[in-house]
Amino acid sequence: ADRLQTGYERCVRKPQGTVARVNIGESLISLRCKDQHQASAIEALRRAKMKFPGRQKIYPSRNWGFTKFPKATYEEWRKIKKLIPAGAHAKYIADHGPLPCGRRSMQMINLF
């Protein structure tokens, strides 16, 4: 959809601004909150979806934050130091592969 200039000044049908082109099934907004605030977050997203054209769906994620790990698995793996939290995501420590060599990687594992 092109946003064309309205009004008389500069009315030569030049584009006024840019818009985002979104495919069907693509995420528009991702929101991270605590479980106790989930109901109010869903209500806020329900009100926000009225501002967008078309039909939007709201579905809560089963994952921990923006990571790819489910909530129950994340807590278990973090207790046994299989996951290292790193900002908005987490690093998975596999049971196989090369041993961590170097002081920095050992400090990261022992830190959590």
Side-chain angles (χ1 to χ4, degrees):
D2 48 341
R3 305 284 183 230
L4 298 176
Q5 183 71 30
T6 58
Y8 188 70
E9 188 176 345
R10 289 186 274 154
C11 62
V12 194
R13 307 289 289 172
K14 293 182 180 176
Q16 180 182 5
T18 57
V19 295
R21 294 190 180 255
V22 182
N23 295 325
I24 295 174
E26 195 171 342
S27 295
L28 294 179
I29 299 173
S30 294
L31 180 70
R32 179 176 58 179
C33 67
K34 293 183 177 180
D35 289 337
Q36 62 191 5
H37 303 299
Q38 183 177 4
S40 59
I42 289 176
E43 177 63 20
L45 288 175
R46 187 190 68 79
R47 291 181 183 193
K49 78 177 187 179
M50 307 296 182
K51 304 293 183 181
F52 294 99
R55 186 184 71 195
Q56 286 76 33
K57 296 179 183 177
I58 299 172
Y59 59 94
S61 176
R62 286 172 260 153
N63 296 340
W64 182 277
F66 291 128
T67 65
K68 58 183 177 181
F69 306 108
K71 292 178 184 178
T73 318
Y74 182 89
E75 292 172 356
E76 289 175 16
W77 286 357
R78 188 168 176 197
K79 286 178 185 174
I80 61 174
K81 296 184 180 181
K82 226 176 181 182
L83 285 178
I84 297 176
H89 64 283
K91 293 182 181 180
Y92 176 73
I93 306 299
D95 292 334
H96 61 282
L99 295 174
C101 57
R103 259 186 326 178
R104 178 79 177 140
S105 58
M106 289 307 290
Q107 286 175 352
M108 288 289 290
I109 293 174
N110 292 333
L111 189 65
F112 298 99

